[in-house]
Amino acid sequence: MRFYLTTPIYYVNSTPHIGHAYTTIAADILARHHRQRGDDTFFLTGVDEHADKVARVAAEQGLTPQEYADSIVGAWQELPLRLNATNDFFIRTSDDGHKRFVQEFLQRIYDNGREDIYQDVYAGWYCVGCEAFKSDDELVDGKCPDHGVEPEWLEERNWFFRLSAYQDALLRLYDERPDFVLPQFRGNEARSFIAGGLRDFSISRATQTWGVPIPWDPDQVAYVWADALVNYLSALAYAPNTGAAGEDLERFWPGTHLLAKDILRFHCVYWPALLLAAGYEPPRQLFVHGYLIIDQQKISKSLGNAIDPLDLIDVYGADAVRFWCARQVSFGQDGNVTLDSFQERYDRELANDLGNLLSRTTAMIARYRDGTLARSPGPGAIDAEALRAALVERLDRFDITAALEGIWQAVRRLNQYVEANAPWELAKDESKAGELDAVLYDLADGLVAVAVAVSPYLPETAPRILQGLGQPADLSLDRVRAQTAEAAVGIEAASPLFPRVEEPTPA
Ligand code: MSP
């Protein structure tokens, strides 16, 4: 199967916070899982540069928008690297390949013979935070409820996209493909927005210079969303080393988009319509996740509660951050988080449940069997086939939290298996040598299956578990099965997977 997965491209008007890391982590878990299933996978992330708010920050710093974007992009490129994300490409909307593609894309719509692009004057309230016009009923006390600021009055002659002409086509799409947008309640939200009637929107800006020039009217630049959404196609057309020009577009489109609810309309309504107008297939699927909220407040730089994901990685490591993001909040729902929960999960689940399990298992093999793991299966400690089936079924629904819970049940079962079979007692009795071998094998075997299953979540830890048990490094999903562990020699008591971390004192 082919699997093309994207994150939103993030605005570079400030540096990344944990909310951005959250989507990138979730996407990487899904991409790694699909690769271990053997799917032909392409994973894209990157940054959105041509926003008015980016130009404004640049001006405040006395830089051109491009100079400013060049100065901050490193922080954004570092994010996937430090999170251990396996994106195949990192797109910048200021890349020449992207800009060219946006022009071709808009030109295709302009030339589609249906007058889907026309000129008109638009006047309305514009929220720079959202980079979108707001109708009166979307404002609360005259302010944008998401950004808490008064929008600005904008009036100019622009190029418009005839979104209203796509209402029926979009409704048909939603009706024919009930899983087009997941979770279901988000799909319903998008569908009712469409059913409520669609207003055309302007796809150009006359007063801005920072952006992609409109090919047939270079005095105007493309509206940031008409530029940014196209990244999902353009990257496939020019990303280096992924195939001959255009081949990846053919190979990977239509793709799957991951995003949060803040940008649902752009992705679930505008984007499929733009694609249809330009003669491309609509996306394969969209998953809209919830918002991380810290201490009941939206994460924002101005509120001063924006956790820097790199600080957390410095203290706990990338695997722990990935684990916490997948586990702490049920994926798809909003979740209020606190940093205390981070330390608590690290100690109890990573260090104790998983880390100690490996330490104990390897220590017993070293001590009672001189480091040799015999291929001597007992009844089995976990049901690895059921674990694999649940993983596939849950991750196909993007439920990274439920899939991880399934793995953790197996971890807990392995710990119970140790307690229930007390290998230290068996070791005292020579006549129980066969029983001891079987218990040690079942434990090692369960741990191998767990390591492979959890590898999309804990990509640094999983190979350490396999190595500690003298097993091949192969992470393909079909190793999540009974009696997957091979006989091995030279096993030593493993050092802790998750060493004790002192809770950092808040700055
Ligand atoms: N540039 C646009 C997206 C264009 S995509 C063609 C944009 N950028 S953004 O920097 O504001 O990123 C928004 C996205 O970041 C959300 O949709 C979500 O994926 C992620 N998140 C930002 N804050 C978040 C939380 N507090 N919680 C969860 N995800 C968050 O919108």
Side-chain angles (χ1 to χ4, degrees):
M1 219 184 82
R2 302 233 155 105
F3 187 66
Y4 172 37
L5 186 69
T6 67
T7 71
I9 48 171
Y10 308 113
Y11 287 130
V12 294
N13 58 318
S14 60
T15 50
H17 61 56
I18 191 77
H20 306 112
Y22 185 69
T23 312
T24 301
I25 287 171
D28 189 55
I29 290 168
L30 292 163
R32 284 179 184 267
H33 169 75
H34 279 270
R35 283 198 206 97
Q36 72 174 167
R37 269 156 84 161
D39 289 347
D40 186 16
T41 302
F42 194 103
F43 168 26
L44 178 71
T45 188
V47 286
D48 189 352
E49 300 179 57
H50 297 133
D52 192 22
K53 55 181 158 187
V54 171
R56 291 184 191 204
V57 176
E60 279 165 22
Q61 298 189 8
L63 298 172
T64 66
Q66 190 64 63
E67 284 167 349
Y68 166 77
D70 291 346
S71 74
I72 200 169
V73 73
W76 286 95
Q77 284 163 328
E78 197 185 351
L79 180 73
L81 280 179
R82 295 284 311 281
L83 291 172
N84 235 326
T86 53
N87 50 299
D88 294 282
F89 188 54
F90 184 96
I91 190 168
R92 296 182 61 176
T93 52
S94 62
D95 289 346
D96 284 339
H98 171 75
K99 291 192 281 193
R100 257 196 313 275
F101 195 97
V102 169
Q103 292 191 320
E104 285 165 21
F105 184 88
L106 295 176
Q107 188 76 49
R108 279 171 75 127
I109 304 181
Y110 191 64
D111 293 340
N112 76 2
R114 294 193 292 271
E115 294 189 354
D116 276 343
I117 292 181
Y118 62 93
Q119 231 176 359
D120 203 354
V121 172
Y122 195 85
W125 293 109
Y126 190 77
C127 170
V128 181
C130 295
E131 295 286 2
F133 281 104
K134 296 273 152 179
S135 59
D136 284 340
D137 56 0
E138 285 173 315
L139 301 176
V140 177
D141 297 332
K143 292 181 177 172
C144 162
D146 285 345
H147 292 93
V149 290
E150 282 179 17
E152 300 167 17
W153 187 255
L154 209 69
E155 186 169 343
E156 52 182 48
R157 176 166 283 275
N158 291 144
W159 293 98
F160 275 69
F161 172 63
R162 205 178 297 282
L163 181 65
S164 53
Y166 287 86
Q167 178 170 9
D168 289 345
L170 289 176
L171 288 176
R172 253 197 320 277
L173 183 64
Y174 275 78
D175 292 342
E176 281 164 12
R177 290 160 55 177
D179 291 339
F180 182 52
V181 175
L182 291 177
Q184 213 69 59
F185 72 101
R186 298 283 181 208
N188 296 343
E189 185 183 329
R191 197 191 177 287
S192 11
F193 178 76
I194 298 165
L198 295 175
R199 297 231 318 253
D200 299 349
F201 66 96
S202 83
I203 54 154
S204 72
R205 290 290 179 269
T207 45
Q208 241 171 273
T209 50
W210 174 233
V212 180
I214 297 290
W216 60 88
D217 180 6
D219 287 341
Q220 301 216 15
V221 296
Y223 166 47
V224 62
W225 277 100
D227 158 349
L229 287 162
V230 182
N231 92 90
Y232 301 137
L233 286 184
S234 72
L236 293 178
Y238 75 91
N241 306 321
T242 55
E247 196 181 280
D248 283 338
L249 196 53
E250 200 50 34
R251 178 162 146 210
F252 287 109
W253 191 255
T256 299
H257 305 309
L258 208 61
L259 54 136
K261 60 178 187 177
D262 53 336
I263 49 181
L264 175 140
R265 271 184 210 177
F266 295 105
H267 283 79
C268 303
V269 183
Y270 291 22
W271 178 228
L274 287 167
L275 283 162
L276 290 173
Y280 288 98
E281 268 186 72
R284 178 194 285 178
Q285 209 169 24
L286 300 108
F287 187 87
V288 184
H289 66 71
Y291 243 55
L292 284 186
I293 296 162
I294 297 188
D295 298 329
Q296 307 296 347
Q297 278 186 317
K298 202 183 151 176
I299 304 174
S300 103
K301 293 264 145 129
S302 47
L303 289 174
N305 67 351
I307 300 173
D308 183 337
L310 302 187
D311 289 347
L312 277 177
I313 294 173
D314 285 341
V315 178
Y316 296 95
D319 275 9
V321 177
R322 296 168 65 101
F323 180 78
W324 181 78
C325 283
R327 190 134 171 84
Q328 190 64 21
V329 176
S330 177
F331 196 57
Q333 307 296 315
D334 286 335
N336 183 43
V337 294
T338 62
L339 271 194
D340 292 345
S341 64
F342 200 104
Q343 178 84 28
E344 201 258 333
R345 282 211 185 269
Y346 182 90
D347 291 340
R348 182 164 51 87
E349 299 194 314
L350 291 175
N352 269 348
D353 291 354
L354 184 60
N356 278 350
L357 179 63
L358 179 73
S359 304
R360 288 167 100 183
T361 306
T362 51
M364 290 189 292
I365 296 170
R367 180 151 171 214
Y368 305 139
R369 289 295 177 259
D370 231 1
T372 297
L373 177 68
R375 209 171 190 299
S376 50
I382 60 167
D383 184 345
E385 269 78 12
L387 171 62
R388 190 185 63 232
L391 264 184
V392 168
E393 187 269 324
R394 291 169 186 181
L395 290 177
D396 276 347
R397 303 189 264 115
F398 301 82
D399 198 342
I400 60 174
T401 309
L404 182 55
E405 174 54 23
I407 299 171
W408 229 254
Q409 278 172 7
V411 170
R412 283 190 222 109
R413 218 164 294 134
L414 287 165
N415 280 306
Q416 288 156 6
Y417 196 77
V418 178
E419 294 306 321
N421 290 286
W424 46 91
E425 295 297 334
L426 299 174
K428 289 181 191 154
D429 185 345
E430 221 4 80
S431 72
K432 301 214 164 130
E435 238 178 282
L436 177 60
D437 279 335
V439 170
L440 293 177
Y441 180 84
D442 282 353
L443 277 176
D445 189 47
L447 254 171
V448 172
V450 160
V452 174
V454 88
S455 62
Y457 298 84
L458 305 177
E460 286 173 46
T461 305
R464 291 179 60 197
I465 299 175
L466 294 175
Q467 195 187 19
L469 291 164
Q471 302 298 311
D474 176 15
L475 294 173
S476 38
L477 195 66
D478 57 21
R479 290 187 76 204
V480 183
R481 61 179 158 78
Q483 297 174 29
T484 188
E486 298 176 2
V489 292
I491 295 172
E492 293 169 8
S495 51
L497 289 176
F498 298 95
R500 247 202 97 60
V501 169
E502 287 305 326
E503 193 161 0
T505 36

